[in-house]
């Protein structure tokens, strides 16, 4: 079933999520088209990570609906299949598999989940390692790599599953300052190549470069949403102004 | 006789390091214990220089085959059983968790000796099947140990960071592949020292299977004591047999740990 062309690729409708009594997402709605680059920012605890974790079903929302490509994301076979085939994710803590080499980290998904032949998976893995510019590290273990290299491996690992959309959950927050640039460069290239992405980050310079839509969240709600130009120069809400003044002060 | 001289020599060296009051106490205890063994030691029963000594030693050492066979078979089964019992404990639902708890609490509460007797004498009546001494022993040891294995596996698996599951989910691995390729390889590396402990424990507990007539190390020593009436010497050999086996196993486990660490 092909959805009408005007329908957004990801549709988030009135999604709410509670951790016990704490409301992490308060009736959030959002549309993302294919090719769009969305950057989400906001203070910690504002629900930005929870939102993208709900899209990837690492968290289960209690109310509302998330559709990808017109299909409801839930625990049903079609719901998990649409996730498997479309969504890749990069985590703050990299979450590489420490007992596997870099190459094995990249090949695991294609070989086990996609049933790809080992030789093909190896070619695919090397292709993406070259794209993130560390093909020479393929035989090492994650612990032997720097943080920036590990995060680039994590990006390559997600790309090996050929996702239509990439979710980044604060991809540079666990990195030493001198390694942030190499990771952001890779993400920027990916954005230039037309990849759809949602990125939670505090790197405002990067956001200005890459985003075609900015989103500011606070207390589980979307407070402000707009193009980077208006977002950075003329934010409407006071909370967003305060946040930007604090984060851009230095 | 050389051995007695050797022992006296060791004692004198030992005494030189001890305060005099302790020496008197030890000397007294030594006299009492020697008094109980009719004056002279009888190492001849296991003297490899004589024909009977050789035969007796061979008889004792042949028990190793059964002790090791019993323990290794039992630990393989108990590891599989333990893993099967541990997995429901990781579920978020209440029923699987309860099954795990009941199994662990129940099995842990049964003394191994009692379980051996029950499996060997009781099970054939319940299930109307004949079970050999070996398999009765294996079954009882494996069941008994599986409760502890389950707890070890549960702790090991729970110690793996949640991010590993999330990363597996995000590259579309299903539950089975996540466990098999991501979680268990890391968990097993962490619980290897505990598994080694369990194997040592199992080797020692296998001596209890002697009560149902398994011809392993302890049973053979008992039988030889009955015919030769030299408990001190024969049981000393028995102690040494267990000591050697277990020290070798411990060294093996440590070697494996080091090997996995360098990877």
């Amino acid at each position: 079933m092909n959805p009408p062309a005007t329908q957004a690729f990801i549709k988030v409708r009135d999604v709410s999520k509670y951790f016990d009594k704490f409301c992490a997402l308060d009736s959030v709605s959002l549309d993302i088209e294919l090719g769009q680059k969305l950057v989400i920012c906001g203070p910690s605890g504002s629900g930005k990570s929870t939102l993208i974790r709900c899209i990837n079903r690492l968290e289960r929302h209690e109310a509302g609906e998330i559709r990808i490509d017109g299909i409801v994301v839930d625990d049903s076979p079609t719901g998990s299949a649409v996730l498997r085939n479309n969504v890749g994710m990069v985590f703050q803590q990299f979450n590489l598999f420490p007992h596997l080499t870099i190459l094995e980290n990249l090949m695991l998904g294609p070989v086990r989940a996609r049933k790809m032949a080992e030789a093909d998976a190896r070619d695919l893995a090397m292709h993406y390692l070259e794209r993130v510019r560390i093909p020479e590290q393929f035989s090492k273990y994650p612990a032997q790599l720097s943080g920036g290299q590990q995060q680039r491996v994590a990006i390559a690992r997600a790309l090996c599953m050929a996702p239509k959309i990439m979710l980044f959950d604060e991809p540079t927050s666990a990195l030493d300052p001198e390694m942030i640039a190499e990771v952001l460069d890779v993400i920027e290239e990916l954005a230039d190549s037309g990849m759809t992405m949602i990125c939670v980050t505090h790197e405002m310079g990067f956001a200005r470069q890459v985003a075609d839509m900015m989103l500011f969240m606070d207390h589980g709600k979307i407070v402000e949403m707009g193009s980077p130009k208006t977002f950075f120069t003329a934010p409407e809400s006071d909370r967003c102004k305060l946040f930007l003044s604090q984060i851009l002060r230095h | 006789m050389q051995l007695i001289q050797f022992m006296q020599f060791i004692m004198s060296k030992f005494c030189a390091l001890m305060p005099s009051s302790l020496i008197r106490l030890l000397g007294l205890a030594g006299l009492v214990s020697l008094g109980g063994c009719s004056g002279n030691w009888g190492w001849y029963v296991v003297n490899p220089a004589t024909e009977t000594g050789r035969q007796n030693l061979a008889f004792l050492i042949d028990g190793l085959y059964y002790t090791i066979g019993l323990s290794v078979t039992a630990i393989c089964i108990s590891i599989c059983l333990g893993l099967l019992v541990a997995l429901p404990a990781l579920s978020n639902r209440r029923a699987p968790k309860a099954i795990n708890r009941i199994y662990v609490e129940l099995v842990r509460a049964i003394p191994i000796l009692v379980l051996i007797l029950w499996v060997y004498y009781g099970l054939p009546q319940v299930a109307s099947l004949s079970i050999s001494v070996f398999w009765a022993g294996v079954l009882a040891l494996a069941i008994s140990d599986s409760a502890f294995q389950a707890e070890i596996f549960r702790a090991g698996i729970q110690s793996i960071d949640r991010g590993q599951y999330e990363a597996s989910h995000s590259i579309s691995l299903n539950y089975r592949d996540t466990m098999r390729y991501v979680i268990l390889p890391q968990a097993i590396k962490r619980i290897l020292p505990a598994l080694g402990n369990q194997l040592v424990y199992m080797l020692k507990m296998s001596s209890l299977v002697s009560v149902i007539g398994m011809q392993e190390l302890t049973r053979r020593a008992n039988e030889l004591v009955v015919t030769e009436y030299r408990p001190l010497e024969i049981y000393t050999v028995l102690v040494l047999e267990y000591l050697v086996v277990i020290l070798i196993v411990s060294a093996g486990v440590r070697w494996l740990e080091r090997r996995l660490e360098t990877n």
Side-chain angles (χ1 to χ4, degrees), chain A residues 53 56 96-99 112, chain B residues 163-164 166 169 171 181 186:
Chain A
R53 289 168 62 85
N56 199 20
L96 294 178
F97 305 128
H99 60 298
R112 299 296 159 196
Chain B
Q164 295 290 306
E166 298 186 345
H169 170 84
I171 57 164
Y181 298 108
Q186 297 182 63

Side-chain angles (χ1 to χ4, degrees), chain A residues 84-190:
Chain A
R84 272 206 305 279
N85 295 330
N86 291 300
V87 185
M89 182 148 183
V90 173
F91 301 88
Q92 183 178 349
Q93 299 294 341
F94 328 139
N95 293 343
L96 294 178
F97 305 128
H99 60 298
L100 300 178
T101 64
I102 299 310
L103 195 61
E104 288 166 341
N105 264 275
L106 265 61
M107 287 167 63
L108 188 60
V111 170
R112 299 296 159 196
R114 295 264 194 271
K115 311 290 175 208
M116 191 182 278
E118 293 246 350
D120 295 343
R122 180 181 296 265
D123 291 344
L124 184 74
M126 287 313 293
H127 168 75
Y128 282 113
L129 275 182
E130 262 157 45
R131 205 157 146 192
V132 300
R133 292 191 284 275
I134 35 176
E136 71 283 359
Q137 311 280 9
F138 73 96
S139 60
K140 287 191 181 167
Y141 286 88
Q144 296 169 291
L145 267 55
S146 73
Q149 290 174 325
Q150 287 190 50
Q151 191 62 299
R152 284 188 279 155
V153 171
I155 293 170
R157 179 177 67 177
L159 290 175
C160 279
M161 299 302 287
K164 288 211 183 86
I165 176 162
M166 288 278 285
L167 308 175
F168 294 89
D169 189 2
E170 303 200 30
T172 57
S173 297
L175 292 175
D176 290 334
E178 76 269 22
M179 293 169 185
I180 291 177
E182 65 187 53
V183 171
L184 291 183
D185 283 349
V186 166
I187 301 177
E188 243 181 89
E189 272 180 31
L190 197 60

Side-chain angles (χ1 to χ4, degrees), chain B residues 33-34 37 41-43 225 229-237:
Chain B
S33 64
L34 280 178
C37 89
W41 291 56
W43 286 105
V225 165
Y229 201 64
R230 277 291 166 190
L232 175 63
E233 295 78 7
I234 293 168
Y235 287 138
T236 304
V237 171

